[in-house]
Amino acid sequence: MIKSYLKIAWRSIANNKTSSLINIGGLAVGMAVSFMLLLYVYNEYSFDKFHTNSDRLYQVFKNQPANGEIKTKPLTQQLLAETLKKDFPEVEQVARINESRDALITFNDKGIKVNTVAADPALLDLFTFRFIWGDKRTALADPTGIILSESSARAIFGKHNPVGEMVKFDNQFPMKVSAVIDDHPQNSSFTFKAIMPWAAFLNQMPWLKGEGWDNYAYFTYVLLKPGASPESVNTKIRNLVGQHFPADKAVKLFMYPFTKLHLYGEFKNGINTGGSIEYVRLFLFLAIGILLIACTNFMNLSTARSEKRAKEVGIRKAIGARRGALIKHFMGESLLLAFIAFLISLALMMILLPVFRNIININLSLPYANPLAWIIALAVTVFTGLVAGSYPALFLSSFNPVKVLKGQMVSTRTAIRPRQILVVTQFTFATCLIIFSIFVYRQIEFIKDRPVGYNRNGMVEIMADGRMYDQFDLFRRDALDAGAITDAALISESITGVTSATWKNTWPGQLPGESNIPIDCVAATYHFVDTYQLQITEGRDFVSDRPSDSTAVILNEAAVKLMRLKGPVGQQITWMNTKRTVIGVVKNFVLASPYEPVKPVIIGFMKGWAASIGLRLNPNTSVSGNLAVLQSIYKKYNPTYPFEYKFIDESFNAKFRNEKLLGTMAILFTCLAILLSALGLFGLAAFSAERRRKEISIRKVLGAGTGALWLKLSQEFVVLVGLSFVIGSLISWYNISRWLSQYTYHTTISIWVFVATLVLSMVICLAAVSWQAVKAALVNPVKNLRSE
């Protein structure tokens, strides 16, 4: 019986090659795209869950009141880890990590920059690292040891075991390779390539050994004992800072599950507000939506061929076939087509996955060796086959054999209504995607065009590594003389990623409690304002021929407003526990997120903090020529370090990565949804034309022209698309409003976007329907009416 069903199904496919190709192709494309999206969703949901103790891992955060709101950050004190381990019995292990940085690791005059952290030995017990060489128990025990990732070890030593080899860290500290670990998997939040012991970190920076509870600069991770209540621990540690440092009693601590940070890592006013989970849910919705559209097309195109198979059904029923057997037969055909589509979708995924990887910048791969993945894929295929085949099977098996064999079909109205609902659903989905894609693009352009307060064009930043800090003045002089730059300045960190802030600042007329407000700060030296081309509204920049500028600060307008200073230039404030004189005021400029309101900023003269060098390239010569000259001068003063640079405009544009990814994905899947929806309309048009062929022929005999018949057949689809547009517009308006409301600065909801979407939808509708409508109108009426 099954063999017979398969033969008949294969003959049906072979006899209807074009429609079968469209049917299977549409389903295969829909399945391939959905499976790729589900791969991405699975990767996001699996982040950090590979750690053996993932369900007991937590990171400590602080809530700190500032300027009428609560700021949540993961930076904590160096002393916190020891206190948690000693005073809280629920805690099994604690580990500290400092902020990662690119450090030079040299072996036999071969040096590379490696992203490095310092950590407690307990880090290896909290998290799961696969050791290739070396012993986990002793890897961080030696203060002169260092753990390298496999890729870093290969870059420095090649393929041989480097454990025991001596390297030079930052061109001055000798260290011994104690172990090599596997590179972090792609679904890991950690990105560092080397780990040094905490003791080595303190030995290299001995001034940090005396830090107290007032310096928040480190990440603290906690492993709770089995059965311990995180809520209970959070209650106990909430006021821990105030107990050890009363001046910061307003700062509250809490632990947050480590495995949730990737998807739920955003906090607003001390409360978790989600994070990238919103994008993941959107892509999951896209995956399901595209699969359902593909299934809907399968139903439409299958039932569109019902007239050709009506007599087959009638004869089968006449010779005794029961409806249940017919349903099984047609469901079997559907499952066969679904499995053929599944095999084609696998081939499509192999072709499209590299493109998809480049778009999302994640190294996804097909899980060939994962049995669960195959089971899920096959289950989705069976589900797709059953859903896609359900309506055609029920519809075809319901034919009355007497009416069918007489050439009569079931009521057109009854047959078309559910199909109309499916097409409306398809185009509603496509309408939402079109509108959303346009608004994502508008929002990105709106933020990119927002004034940032300084000139990003022609700006390059390099790290003040090695001898560059001490030799900066000579480097700047040579670069200016060579014509490669117009100015240069030392700065504490990249202007696109400033994270430093200070409190305990004081100013004239300060109100009680205002000294606890954290204020963002930039440590800079001479020529900072001129190099970055900030706009001075009062006063001047730091200049080298005024020794008093070493105790000066420059404020932005937001800081002047916060401090309520009248005539700020010349007034004194306290910054970094030192009296400072305000010598200038600059217009507000964007430091970190372009989506947030501009914050108060103190630009203080301080050489000791400089970690980056800003270079303004000469606009009158080529960029490549300028960089070549800078590299030669750099090697003159800092020969052991590689010359690495970043364009500020590229660093700034990287802040829009999520929005750009969302926009690109939305555009791609909008095009796909439009294509699949057009196929659905094509199927419904074919079905309608086939059902109404006698009506069309009678109208033609009575004098109706081709244009009138085209209009008659097309108008019902125009109505369907118009209804889809109304529903999709309402849904889009609501969701776009919610999405834009999360941004302080956002574009407006313009009516022209909806008008353009309506026009595009109508064009797509008429393009999909017209061929079938014109084809039906041109048929000779004698052919359809000769049996009457």
Side-chain angles (χ1 to χ4, degrees):
M1 182 69 75
I2 294 176
K3 184 178 180 181
S4 173
Y5 283 168
L6 289 174
K7 279 185 178 179
I8 295 169
W10 184 254
R11 286 173 188 161
S12 176
I13 294 171
N15 291 333
N16 299 277
K17 294 183 179 66
T18 302
S19 60
S20 295
L21 181 63
I22 295 174
N23 225 352
I24 295 172
L27 194 57
V29 170
M31 290 175 73
V33 172
S34 295
F35 284 149
M36 286 192 296
L37 281 171
L38 289 174
L39 270 180
Y40 167 77
V41 171
Y42 172 76
N43 178 76
E44 295 298 294
Y45 272 106
S46 66
F47 244 77
D48 297 317
K49 292 185 173 67
F50 61 88
H51 295 291
T52 304
N53 302 314
S54 61
D55 59 329
R56 295 190 286 132
L57 285 171
Y58 294 83
Q59 185 171 0
V60 182
F61 282 73
K62 68 179 177 77
N63 278 332
Q64 184 170 16
N67 230 358
E69 60 179 327
I70 297 175
K71 297 291 186 182
T72 303
K73 291 187 177 181
L75 297 174
T76 57
Q77 305 91 332
Q78 186 179 170
L79 297 175
L80 177 63
E82 182 182 351
T83 303
L84 291 174
K85 183 72 170 66
K86 183 179 66 175
D87 296 343
F88 296 88
E90 299 92 340
V91 174
E92 183 174 317
Q93 286 284 10
V94 186
R96 298 165 293 189
I97 296 181
N98 69 339
E99 290 196 73
S100 65
R101 69 182 184 90
D102 291 338
L104 183 72
I105 297 180
T106 310
F107 175 74
N108 288 346
D109 297 326
K110 180 181 181 181
I112 65 167
K113 287 281 195 73
V114 179
N115 190 258
T116 307
V117 297
D120 291 310
L123 181 79
L124 305 180
D125 297 320
L126 269 72
F127 300 99
T128 302
F129 300 98
R130 192 178 76 85
F131 279 73
I132 299 173
W133 289 300
D135 188 348
K136 169 184 172 180
R137 294 168 296 181
T138 60
L140 290 177
D142 184 355
T144 63
I146 187 169
I147 300 175
L148 299 178
S149 69
E150 183 182 17
S151 58
S152 299
R154 283 181 177 271
I156 299 171
F157 300 100
K159 295 183 178 180
H160 80 276
N161 181 357
V163 172
E165 297 282 5
M166 296 300 297
V167 296
K168 191 174 283 187
F169 186 84
D170 270 347
N171 209 35
Q172 53 182 324
F173 301 106
M175 302 191 79
K176 181 171 65 176
V177 179
S178 59
V180 175
I181 58 174
D182 204 356
D183 288 330
H184 302 296
Q186 63 187 16
N187 58 346
S188 174
S189 296
F190 292 139
T191 57
F192 53 79
K193 300 291 186 180
I195 312 172
M196 61 189 297
W198 195 263
F201 170 61
L202 295 181
N203 289 338
Q204 294 175 13
M205 300 182 180
W207 58 90
L208 298 178
K209 292 181 180 180
E211 279 187 344
W213 284 83
D214 58 341
N215 186 31
Y216 302 86
Y218 312 100
F219 304 110
T220 304
Y221 299 94
V222 175
L223 176 66
L224 293 184
K225 291 178 179 177
S229 168
E231 293 80 11
S232 174
V233 177
N234 274 337
T235 301
K236 292 179 180 180
I237 70 172
R238 175 177 168 79
N239 299 310
L240 193 60
V241 174
Q243 295 169 17
H244 292 270
F245 188 60
D248 278 358
K249 64 182 180 181
V251 176
K252 308 299 180 183
L253 299 181
F254 69 95
M255 298 185 312
Y256 195 76
F258 178 69
T259 55
K260 294 183 68 174
L261 284 171
H262 179 69
L263 295 179
Y264 301 89
E266 291 183 5
F267 295 85
K268 189 171 184 179
N269 211 24
I271 298 173
N272 185 270
T273 56
S276 59
I277 183 63
E278 301 298 331
Y279 296 109
V280 175
R281 285 173 180 160
L282 176 62
F283 292 143
L284 179 61
F285 169 74
L286 281 174
I288 296 172
I290 288 170
L291 190 60
L292 289 178
I293 283 181
C295 291
T296 301
N297 282 341
F298 187 95
M299 297 180 196
N300 287 346
L301 293 171
S302 294
T303 48
R305 293 188 293 142
S306 60
E307 177 72 10
K308 295 181 180 179
R309 305 198 65 181
K311 290 186 177 179
E312 174 194 337
V313 174
I315 293 170
R316 283 178 177 278
K317 281 195 170 184
I319 62 177
R322 295 182 178 274
R323 187 180 184 191
L326 290 172
I327 289 175
K328 289 179 183 177
H329 168 65
F330 290 120
M331 291 295 278
E333 280 191 20
S334 176
L335 286 171
L336 176 63
L337 290 175
F339 275 103
I340 294 174
F342 171 66
L343 295 176
I344 296 173
S345 72
L346 289 179
L348 287 174
M349 286 175 70
M350 294 177 191
I351 297 170
L352 297 175
L353 198 57
V355 178
F356 188 58
R357 280 198 294 256
N358 289 334
I359 292 172
I360 63 175
N361 200 27
I362 298 175
N363 188 26
L364 295 178
S365 59
L366 293 175
Y368 296 107
N370 189 340
L372 180 62
W374 285 104
I375 292 171
I376 293 173
L378 291 173
V380 171
T381 303
V382 171
F383 174 77
T384 302
L386 293 176
V387 170
S390 57
Y391 179 62
L394 294 171
F395 175 67
L396 290 171
S397 65
S398 68
F399 290 168
N400 185 314
V402 176
K403 289 184 177 180
V404 166
L405 293 175
K406 282 184 176 181
Q408 301 172 2
M409 294 289 288
V410 294
S411 169
T412 300
R413 175 180 293 182
T414 304
I416 286 186
R417 185 172 291 124
R419 294 166 53 75
Q420 291 174 329
I421 293 172
L422 292 174
V423 169
V424 168
T425 303
Q426 279 183 316
F427 257 87
T428 298
F429 185 76
T431 298
C432 290
L433 282 179
I434 293 171
I435 295 172
F436 187 70
S437 299
I438 295 173
F439 275 109
V440 169
Y441 175 79
R442 280 169 54 87
Q443 174 63 8
I444 293 173
E445 291 303 308
F446 180 85
I447 294 295
K448 285 172 69 175
D449 293 341
R450 176 192 171 194
V452 294
Y454 60 90
N455 186 2
R456 304 192 305 267
N457 299 325
M459 275 299 299
V460 170
E461 288 182 330
I462 62 176
M463 297 301 295
D465 289 324
R467 299 172 58 197
M468 283 305 296
Y469 175 76
D470 295 328
Q471 302 293 326
F472 169 73
D473 290 331
L474 296 175
F475 170 80
R476 177 177 178 274
R477 182 200 62 194
D478 288 357
L480 284 169
D481 291 344
I485 63 172
T486 58
D487 217 334
L490 286 166
I491 182 174
S492 52
E493 49 193 327
S494 172
I495 197 168
T496 60
V498 172
T499 58
S500 299
T502 61
W503 48 95
K504 308 305 177 190
N505 308 296
T506 64
W507 54 84
Q510 187 177 67
L511 299 177
E514 287 187 331
S515 62
N516 294 323
I517 298 175
I519 300 178
D520 289 350
C521 64
V522 176
T525 58
Y526 308 114
H527 319 294
F528 170 72
V529 173
D530 289 340
T531 299
Y532 285 89
Q533 293 184 1
L534 277 72
Q535 301 175 48
I536 295 180
T537 59
E538 295 182 55
R540 57 179 175 81
D541 192 4
F542 304 116
V543 289
S544 55
D545 57 358
R546 296 201 184 192
S548 61
D549 280 4
S550 61
T551 59
V553 294
I554 298 172
L555 306 178
N556 73 340
E557 293 173 329
V560 173
K561 182 179 179 181
L562 172 68
M563 299 176 186
R564 300 176 300 279
L565 298 179
K566 304 297 183 182
V569 175
Q571 297 200 46
Q572 283 197 330
I573 69 170
T574 301
W575 180 68
M576 297 293 292
N577 300 316
T578 305
K579 288 289 185 181
R580 299 277 184 155
T581 302
V582 179
I583 64 166
V585 177
V586 296
K587 282 191 174 182
N588 292 331
F589 59 100
V590 176
L591 274 183
S593 173
Y595 299 107
E596 297 178 357
V598 173
K599 300 176 183 178
V601 179
I602 297 174
I603 305 168
F605 187 97
M606 184 175 286
K607 285 190 172 181
W609 274 15
S612 183
I613 298 173
L615 304 167
R616 179 157 296 282
L617 300 179
N618 188 342
N620 299 319
T621 52
S622 69
V623 173
S624 58
N626 290 334
L627 292 174
V629 171
L630 287 172
Q631 182 173 11
S632 64
I633 300 172
Y634 181 92
K635 285 297 183 181
K636 172 183 174 183
Y637 293 105
N638 207 28
T640 57
Y641 280 76
F643 178 67
E644 298 176 348
Y645 57 88
K646 291 181 180 178
F647 287 97
I648 287 183
D649 54 353
E650 292 180 357
S651 299
F652 184 80
N653 289 336
K655 295 176 182 293
F656 308 106
R657 180 185 175 275
N658 285 339
E659 284 71 20
K660 284 183 176 178
L661 170 62
L662 183 62
T664 303
M665 298 277 273
I667 291 171
L668 290 176
F669 296 124
T670 296
C671 295
L672 180 62
I674 289 172
L675 175 63
L676 293 176
S677 298
L679 280 176
L681 270 184
F682 179 85
L684 185 56
F687 178 77
S688 179
E690 191 169 312
R691 304 279 306 176
R692 300 174 66 179
R693 67 190 190 285
K694 290 184 180 179
E695 174 197 338
I696 293 168
S697 297
I698 292 170
R699 288 180 180 275
K700 196 167 184 180
V701 169
L702 294 175
T706 301
L709 291 172
W710 170 81
L711 182 63
K712 182 69 177 176
L713 287 171
S714 299
Q715 65 183 11
E716 63 178 292
F717 301 106
V718 171
V719 171
L720 290 178
V721 172
L723 179 61
S724 302
F725 169 76
V726 172
I727 298 171
S729 295
L730 293 174
I731 295 172
S732 299
W733 190 292
Y734 174 74
N735 286 291
I736 290 294
S737 298
R738 285 187 60 195
W739 180 69
L740 290 177
S741 67
Q742 67 182 316
Y743 301 108
T744 304
Y745 301 96
H746 58 77
T747 186
T748 56
I749 297 180
S750 304
I751 194 66
W752 72 262
V753 175
F754 295 89
V755 174
T757 302
L758 177 60
V759 172
L760 179 61
S761 299
M762 290 302 173
V763 169
I764 294 166
C765 167
L766 294 175
V769 169
S770 292
W771 187 79
Q772 288 287 355
V774 172
K775 178 184 174 184
L778 292 176
V779 170
N780 188 337
V782 175
K783 183 178 178 182
N784 292 328
L785 297 175
R786 60 188 173 189
S787 62
E788 296 298 321

